[in-house]
Amino acid sequence: MNPTDWVVLLGTMLGIAAYGTWRTRHTDNLNTYLKGNHNTGWVTIGLSVMATQASTITYLSLPGQAYENGIAFIQNYFGLPLALIIVCAAFLPIYRKLGVYTAYEYLGQRFDAKTRLLGAALFLLQRGLQAGITIYAPAIILSTVLGWRLDLTIIFTGLLVIVYTVTGGSAAVNLTQRWQMAVIFGGMLTAFLVLLSKLPGDALPIAGAMGKLQAVDFTPDFKRRYTFLSGLLGGLFLSLSYFGTDQSQVQRYIGGAALREGRLGLMFNALFKIPMQFCIVMLGALLFVFYQFQPNTPVFFNRTEWQRHAQGPQAATFRAIEEKHATLHADKLDKIRVWVAARGRGESTAEIAARKVMLEAQKASEAVRQQARDALRSADPKAKVKDSDYVFITFILTQLPHGVIGLLIAVMFASALSSKAGELNALGTTSTIDLWRHFRPLAAHDEARNVRNAKCFTALWGFFAIGFALFVSFAENLIEALNIVASIFYPALLGVFVVAFFLKRVGGSAVFWAAVAAQALVLGLFFVGKAYPTHEIGYLWLNPIGCAACVIFSLLLQAVIGTKGPRPNTEGVQ
Amino acid sequence: MKPSPPDHSTGDESPGVPGFRTWRGVYLFVFGFFVLVVVLLAIFSRVFA
C-alpha cells in the first residue's frame, strides 16, 4: 500500500464512522438501541439483512473457497429463497403482531420461561462461537496489510469493534451499512474488472477443465458437502433458522416501519442473494486461472505466517518447498498451454490426453501445497495452516491499482466492523431482554439502566469473541466454519419455532425436552462423523435431521405428558 | 419501558409493488426467478464441465 491507499482508506473509514455517529447521536432509549429506527424502509432493511450475513468473510473467504474447491459452494444457497418466502409468509407477521424485541420473547409467550431461556441460550451459544470466528475477517485484513501477527490484530480489531458497537447501536449499524454496501459493490466490481483484464481468453474453459466450474451436482450422495439436494433441503433449513430464528437477522427486519417493509427487504435478498454469491464464487474460480499464469504464485498465501517460519530453524526445508513449488507450477503452466493449443486446433483426442496430463500436474502442485502446510504445522503446531482466506486479499494488494487498493481494504474492513457490530448487538440484545431482564424484572422499567446493560453485554460478548479467536484454532476456512457451527446449534432451535408456529397442541415442557434431545442427537451425529470419517454426512444434512427430530420428539412427548401438563398457551398465535 | 406497539395489520394488504396485487404473486415471482437461476446454473455446469 502506498500513501494514496492510506489516505483513501483512512478517509473512507472516518467518513463512515462519523456519519453513523452523527445520525445516531441521540440514541438513548432501549427501543431504538435494540430494534433500530422504526422508520427504516425496505431498501435499508434489505441491504442491512444482506450486509449482516454477507460480511467480509464472504468477500474474503468465498473466493478462496472457490479457488480451492470450485464453485459448488453456491449450492449452499439454494434453500435461501424458499426459506425467505416462508419467513415472510409465516414468521414475520407473528413477530410483528406481538411487537416483541427478540424472537425468543415469542417463545416465552407461546410456551413458557424455560423454553424462552433455552432458545436464547442456544442462540447465544452458537452466535457467541460464530463471533469468535468472524473476528478473524478484519484481523486477516490488518494482518496482511500491516504484516502484524494474527493474534495481535485479533485483539486490536476486537477492541475497535466493541467501541464501534457500544457507541452506536442498531440504528448506526443500519445507516452505515447502506453506504458500505454501495462502496463494497463498487469495489468488488472494480476487482472483478481488473481480474478480467488480466485473464487469458480461454479462462472459463481452463477453469472448467480443471474442475472449478461445477455449479450444480445432482449426485444423491449424502457424504458430499455440496450437492443440489443438500443445498436445497439442508440449505432451506439452515436459511430458515438463520432468517427466522436468529436474533441478529430478526432484529434487522422487525425494525421496519410496516410489515411491508420487512417483507420487501427479505424478498430483495431472496432475489439477489444467489446471483451475488455466484459472482463472488466466479471471482474465486477466475482467480485460480489467474494464478496459474503468474510465475510467482505463492506456495502458501498467508505470507506473514510463512515468512515468520521460513526464517526460523527450518529455513532450508521451507526454501526447498518453495523451489519445488515454483518448478511444478511452471511445468503445470506448460501443460495448460498444451491443452489450450489442442483445444484451439479442435483435436479432441489430443485435447483429452492433454487434459489428463494437466490435471496430473495440478495434483502434483497441490501435493506440494500440502507439504507446505505440513511444514508449517511441524514448525509450529498452533500455526494457521488454512490459507484460502488469504487468496483474494493477496490479489487485491498485489494486482489492483493504488487508490483502489485503499478503497477495497477500507470497505472490507468497514463491512467486517459493521457485520461484527450487528452480531454483537444481537448478542447484547438477547442477553439483556431474554436473560438479564428475566432474572431482574423490576429493573425492566429503568430505561437508562436497560441501555447501559445492553452495552455492557455487547462489550462482554466482544471480549468472549476475542478470547475464543485467540485460543481456538479450526481446520476449515472461515465461511465453512461458520456454517458448520450454525448447522450444529440451529436445527433444534428451528424445531422449537416450527412447533410454536404450526403445532398448537404442543406445550412448553414437551418442546423443551424435545429440543434438548434433538440437540444431543445433532451433537452425537457431528462428533461420530468426526471420529469415524467414513460415516460422516455432509454438515448441511444436520439441519433437516435436527429440526425433524425436535418436531417428532415434541409430538411424542406431548402425547405422553400432554394430558398431565398445563394447557399450552396459544394466545397470539395465528 | 414497553416494547413498541404490536402491528395488527393482517398481512393481506397489497404489497405496493408495480405489477403485483398480492403477496402470493410476489412469492411466486421470487420462486420462478429461483427456478430460472438454478436451471441456468445447471446449464452453465454442463457447458464448462
Side-chain angles (χ1 to χ4, degrees):
Chain A
M1 296 231 305
N2 72 3
T4 312
D5 292 318
W6 282 107
V7 169
V8 173
L9 190 151
L10 293 174
T12 310
M13 292 298 299
L14 287 175
I16 289 171
Y19 179 75
T21 309
W22 178 71
R23 285 288 303 269
T24 58
R25 60 197 181 282
H26 299 307
T27 300
D28 54 2
N29 76 47
L30 189 65
N31 207 24
T32 308
Y33 181 80
L34 301 183
K35 277 190 185 174
N37 192 336
H38 259 266
N39 295 320
T40 311
W42 71 266
V43 176
T44 305
I45 292 175
L47 289 175
S48 174
V49 166
M50 191 173 266
T52 304
Q53 35 136 8
S55 63
T56 297
I57 284 193
T58 309
Y59 306 113
L60 276 185
S61 193
L62 204 47
Q65 157 74 18
Y67 177 95
E68 226 172 41
N69 303 315
I71 63 172
F73 190 83
I74 191 74
Q75 294 167 111
N76 186 45
Y77 300 100
F78 280 1
L80 184 142
L82 308 180
L84 286 178
I85 290 173
I86 295 171
V87 169
C88 278
F91 288 41
L92 184 52
I94 295 177
Y95 291 144
R96 297 280 310 187
K97 188 178 173 186
L98 297 178
V100 291
Y101 279 123
T102 72
Y104 318 110
E105 256 187 296
Y106 165 70
L107 294 181
Q109 294 180 22
R110 166 68 176 85
F111 296 117
D112 50 28
K114 68 176 181 299
T115 311
R116 172 183 177 174
L117 288 177
L118 177 70
L122 282 173
F123 164 72
L124 290 172
L125 185 62
Q126 76 93 11
R127 264 291 148 180
L129 294 177
Q130 286 196 338
I133 298 170
T134 52
I135 206 159
Y136 271 96
I140 283 174
I141 296 172
L142 272 196
S143 159
T144 311
V145 171
L146 302 173
W148 292 0
R149 288 173 54 135
L150 191 60
D151 45 5
L152 290 180
T153 52
I154 284 173
I155 295 170
F156 176 74
T157 52
L159 293 175
L160 197 64
V161 167
I162 290 170
V163 171
Y164 176 77
T165 316
V166 169
T167 54
S170 205
V173 173
N174 279 350
L175 283 167
T176 55
Q177 271 174 352
R178 187 172 181 160
W179 300 108
Q180 285 166 34
M181 287 297 286
V183 184
I184 282 170
F185 282 134
M188 293 297 285
L189 187 66
T190 309
F192 208 98
L193 292 176
V194 169
L195 176 62
L196 288 180
S197 73
K198 290 172 182 273
L199 283 172
D202 296 308
L204 277 179
I206 292 170
M210 298 187 86
K212 301 293 179 186
L213 297 184
Q214 182 73 37
V216 188
D217 177 2
F218 289 104
T219 317
D221 184 349
F222 289 90
K223 288 180 180 171
R224 281 195 195 184
R225 275 194 173 176
Y226 307 111
T227 62
F228 176 75
L229 263 185
S230 74
L232 194 66
L233 275 179
L236 167 66
F237 281 82
L238 180 61
S239 301
L240 208 48
S241 312
Y242 188 50
F243 288 98
T245 72
D246 186 307
Q247 179 60 18
S248 66
Q249 283 300 320
V250 174
Q251 191 165 320
R252 305 282 129 216
Y253 58 74
I254 59 173
L259 179 61
R260 173 184 178 271
E261 308 301 325
R263 277 178 163 167
L264 285 179
L266 290 179
M267 287 300 96
F268 170 80
N269 277 269
L271 277 180
F272 292 110
K273 181 71 177 177
I274 296 179
M276 189 183 97
Q277 300 302 88
F278 178 71
C279 292
I280 299 174
V281 290
M282 278 305 294
L283 183 70
L286 294 176
L287 273 174
F288 172 81
V289 177
F290 169 78
Y291 276 114
Q292 303 312 304
F293 287 83
Q294 295 302 302
N296 54 353
T297 297
V299 64
F300 192 74
F301 278 91
N302 181 352
R303 300 309 293 163
T304 309
E305 189 78 13
W306 181 263
Q307 297 294 354
R308 194 156 70 91
H309 298 293
Q311 289 158 3
Q314 296 182 26
T317 309
F318 280 78
R319 213 166 27 248
I321 290 173
E322 278 186 333
E323 283 165 9
K324 193 174 172 188
H325 177 259
T327 309
L328 285 175
H329 189 72
D331 177 56
K332 183 171 57 171
L333 181 55
D334 290 340
K335 306 277 166 53
I336 292 172
R337 286 191 169 128
V338 169
W339 177 78
V340 170
R343 184 175 173 273
R345 292 194 301 273
E347 297 168 2
S348 59
T349 315
E351 188 187 338
I352 292 168
R355 182 179 176 177
K356 196 177 168 196
V357 174
M358 179 175 76
L359 290 176
E360 277 164 10
Q362 167 64 8
K363 264 188 195 165
S365 178
E366 273 306 310
V368 179
R369 271 172 54 76
Q370 186 55 46
Q371 275 180 26
R373 292 188 198 108
D374 293 342
L376 273 172
R377 206 178 281 122
S378 148
D380 177 5
K382 291 182 86 177
K384 310 284 181 201
V385 295
K386 197 79 180 169
D387 69 333
S388 56
D389 296 323
Y390 290 80
V391 172
F392 186 45
I393 188 88
T394 304
F395 174 79
I396 290 172
L397 288 174
T398 56
Q399 303 297 330
L400 296 197
H402 289 295
V404 177
I405 294 177
L407 180 70
L408 258 182
I409 297 292
V411 293
M412 290 178 95
F413 194 75
S415 160
L417 283 189
S418 63
S419 173
K420 278 236 59 80
E423 195 169 43
L424 293 182
N425 202 274
L427 284 165
T429 306
T430 308
S431 302
T432 308
I433 303 291
D434 293 300
L435 294 182
W436 186 76
R437 278 198 351 189
H438 176 76
F439 293 111
R440 304 290 297 274
L442 292 177
H445 302 285
D446 187 343
E447 182 83 26
R449 196 172 171 192
N450 278 307
V451 173
R452 272 202 311 276
N453 276 303
K455 289 181 176 178
C456 283
F457 277 118
T458 303
L460 276 177
W461 280 110
F463 289 119
F464 173 83
I466 295 172
F468 179 82
L470 287 178
F471 294 109
V472 176
S473 69
F474 40 83
E476 308 286 347
N477 68 4
L478 295 180
I479 199 153
E480 287 194 303
L482 282 178
N483 281 327
I484 290 170
V485 169
S487 297
I488 292 172
F489 292 103
Y490 270 151
L493 185 58
L494 177 63
V496 174
F497 276 88
V498 168
V499 171
F501 290 145
F502 303 113
L503 299 174
K504 293 178 185 174
R505 286 186 310 112
V506 178
S509 292
V511 79
F512 177 86
W513 291 111
V516 171
Q519 185 58 62
L521 174 72
V522 171
L523 283 170
L525 282 173
F526 176 74
F527 285 114
V528 166
K530 288 292 158 204
Y532 305 99
T534 48
H535 297 293
E536 188 175 17
I537 54 169
Y539 68 84
L540 283 172
W541 288 110
L542 295 174
N543 291 282
I545 290 172
C547 179
C550 182
V551 172
I552 292 167
F553 293 162
S554 294
L555 287 169
L556 291 175
L557 279 171
Q558 185 62 36
V560 174
I561 64 172
T563 50
K564 297 173 188 168
R567 250 177 91 90
N569 173 19
T570 54
E571 227 174 279
V573 180
Q574 290 183 327
Chain B
M1 208 279 319
K2 287 180 179 173
S4 58
D7 179 353
H8 290 294
S9 56
T10 60
D12 297 330
E13 295 91 353
S14 163
V17 181
F20 296 98
R21 280 182 299 172
T22 63
W23 280 106
R24 182 170 292 190
V26 175
Y27 300 151
L28 277 174
F29 173 76
V30 171
F31 181 73
F33 184 76
F34 161 68
V35 172
L36 176 70
V37 168
V38 172
V39 168
L40 289 176
L41 284 174
I43 293 170
F44 180 84
S45 301
R46 181 155 274 230
V47 168
F48 289 107

